[in-house]
């Protein structure tokens, strides 16, 4: 049964013309409370945190099951990756030690593709045309905002994954109650980029060490907590992309830094699990890791093999 809902794609033309911060404020204004600071004062600083009114608290006696969610496009490469990932999800889902629940491919193209009947898919809209500036993963946080708002999700936790992940063995829920679990990336280094990050995480929020060395994936997080972080993640991502220095410095991992900053702005710290994932060619042994992240570009010649990260 495909968990998909059609969503309208019509956005006011005005949105495309507005600055990124104001744009997303308008798009998701219905999820924000009046406590957020959204008045542009000289455009030098706008509080990026979108504060959502407190919802009815769920029972703390939560099931450990988590929903596997992967954002994707309809390109042949992305489709190929998703088919492989979904195959291995089905292989390990019901093995002893697994806390895996349902699976959703969150397709941020705005229209169905040929995998709808093969992989459980939920179609959401991409960002307005041109806003991602060719950086397709900027659609990821916006896709999560829409999915969380529109979809029916049975599980209390979410595993944010990516198409280039292969499950090696059953994955338990690594989160601890309300504290999410994430993978520490060796190339996400907040302390080395404090000057830049202070544009988005001012000193008044705390030390830059409060920003975890993570991206949004893989992360296992309580659904209600992700609902709070995701709109801020969108906002910070767009502001980072709109800042030339930040865009140049962070490059392809900009959206990862944005998730780390958004989490810190909400006072959320992650349990860092190195066994969450391995990344060849940097990692040479499978060991006790749960996931393979396999799409590093690799350059080589007849004498030398060079990972090209």
């Amino acid at each position: 049964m495909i968990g998909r809902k059609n969503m309208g794609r019509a956005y006011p033309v005005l949105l495309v013309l507005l600055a990124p911060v104001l744009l997303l404020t308008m798009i998701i204004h219905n999820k924000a409370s009046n406590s957020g600071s959204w008045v542009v004062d000289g455009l030098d600083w706008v509080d990026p945190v979108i504060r959502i009114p407190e919802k009815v608290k769920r029972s703390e006696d939560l099931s450990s099951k988590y929903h596997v969610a992967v954002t994707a496009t309809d390109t042949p490469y992305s489709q190929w990756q998703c088919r492989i990932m979904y195959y291995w999800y089905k292989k390990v889902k019901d093995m002893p030690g697994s806390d895996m629940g349902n699976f959703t491919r969150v397709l941020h193209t705005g229209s169905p593709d040929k995998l709808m009947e093969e992989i459980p898919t939920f179609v959401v809209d991409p960002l307005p045309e041109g806003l991602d500036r060719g950086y397709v993963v900027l659609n990821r946080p916006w896709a999560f905002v829409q999915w969380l708002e529109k979809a029916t999700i049975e599980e209390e936790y979410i595993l944010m994954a990516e198409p280039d992940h292969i499950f090696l063995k059953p994955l338990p829920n690594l989160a601890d109650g309300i504290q999410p679990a994430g993978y520490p990336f060796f190339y996400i280094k907040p302390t080395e980029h404090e000057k830049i990050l202070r544009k988005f995480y001012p000193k008044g929020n705390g030390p830059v060490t409060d920003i975890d060395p993570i991206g949004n994936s893989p992360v296992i997080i309580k659904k209600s907590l992700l609902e709070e972080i995701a709109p801020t993640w969108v906002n910070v991502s767009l502001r980072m992309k709109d800042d030339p220095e930040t865009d140049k410095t962070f490059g392809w991992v900009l959206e990862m830094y944005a998730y780390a900053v958004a989490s810190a702005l909400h006072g959320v710290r992650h349990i860092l699990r190195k066994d969450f994932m391995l990344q060849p060619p940097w990692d040479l042994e499978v060991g006790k890791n749960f996931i393979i992240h396999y799409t590093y570009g690799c350059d080589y010649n007849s004498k030398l093999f060079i990972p090209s990260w």
Side-chain angles (χ1 to χ4, degrees), residues 2-292:
I2 302 299
R4 177 174 63 86
K5 298 182 182 178
N6 293 324
M7 300 181 65
R9 302 188 63 185
Y11 287 98
V13 175
L14 177 62
L15 294 181
V16 182
L17 303 177
L18 294 176
V21 174
L22 298 181
L23 173 93
L24 263 296
T25 303
M26 293 181 66
I27 291 177
I28 50 183
H29 74 280
N30 63 305
K31 297 181 72 65
S33 72
N34 294 328
S35 60
S37 175
W38 290 102
V39 178
V40 180
D41 183 10
L43 290 178
D44 56 347
W45 173 252
V46 178
D47 183 359
V49 179
I50 296 177
R51 297 176 174 84
I52 302 174
E54 186 175 0
K55 299 181 179 180
V56 176
K57 293 184 178 180
R58 299 178 186 274
S59 168
E60 291 305 315
D61 183 22
L62 303 176
S63 167
S64 61
K65 291 289 185 180
Y66 58 83
H67 193 110
V68 180
V70 54
T71 56
T73 68
D74 59 0
T75 62
Y77 184 46
S78 181
Q79 290 175 335
W80 174 79
Q81 288 181 317
C82 287
R83 295 184 76 189
I84 294 173
M85 182 194 181
Y86 187 54
Y87 171 86
W88 286 103
Y89 156 82
K90 291 190 294 183
K91 290 279 286 187
V92 304
K93 175 183 180 292
D94 296 321
M95 290 183 178
S98 169
D99 284 321
M100 291 178 167
N102 296 310
F103 183 103
T104 298
R105 180 181 64 132
V106 185
L107 183 64
H108 51 76
T109 59
S111 59
D113 68 357
K114 65 182 181 181
L115 295 185
M116 301 299 295
E117 300 303 322
E118 180 178 341
I119 302 175
T121 299
F122 190 97
V123 178
V124 298
D125 289 326
L127 290 167
E129 185 176 357
L131 194 60
D132 65 12
R133 302 180 188 179
Y135 180 50
V136 66
V137 293
L138 209 61
N139 287 283
R140 181 177 296 146
W142 179 223
F144 270 108
V145 167
Q146 295 173 82
W147 177 64
L148 289 165
E149 181 178 356
K150 301 289 186 178
T152 299
I153 305 166
E154 297 177 1
E155 298 84 356
E156 293 286 353
Y157 291 88
I158 306 292
L159 165 61
M160 292 188 285
E162 296 180 16
D164 56 2
H165 289 174
I166 291 177
F167 294 105
L168 294 167
K169 60 182 181 180
L171 176 61
N173 187 342
L174 303 177
D176 183 10
I178 198 170
Q179 187 175 14
Y183 175 79
F185 289 89
F186 66 87
Y187 48 82
I188 301 297
K189 302 176 180 180
T191 56
E192 292 187 9
H193 299 291
E194 180 168 3
K195 180 182 176 182
I196 290 176
L197 290 174
R198 284 306 186 191
K199 298 178 182 181
F200 314 97
Y201 191 74
K203 289 184 179 180
N205 287 88
V208 75
T209 51
D210 286 347
I211 302 173
D212 291 327
I214 59 172
N216 84 290
S217 176
V219 163
I220 298 178
I221 185 170
K222 191 177 177 184
K223 179 173 59 180
S224 58
L225 188 58
L226 182 57
E227 288 173 339
E228 296 178 10
I229 294 173
T232 303
W233 176 25
V234 176
N235 203 346
V236 174
S237 296
L238 290 171
R239 291 188 60 229
M240 284 185 170
K241 188 64 178 176
D242 198 47
D243 181 79
E245 181 185 21
T246 305
D247 187 24
K248 181 179 179 180
T249 301
F250 291 162
W252 194 252
V253 298
L254 179 149
E255 167 267 340
M256 297 172 66
Y257 271 101
Y259 174 78
V261 170
S263 298
L265 286 168
H266 283 272
V268 175
R269 301 300 302 269
H270 294 67
I271 301 166
L272 302 180
R273 294 286 301 249
K274 290 185 178 181
D275 61 343
F276 211 151
M277 186 170 74
L278 63 93
Q279 303 186 99
W282 303 101
D283 297 309
L284 302 178
E285 297 180 357
V286 172
K288 296 181 179 181
N289 296 283
F290 294 101
I291 294 172
I292 291 179

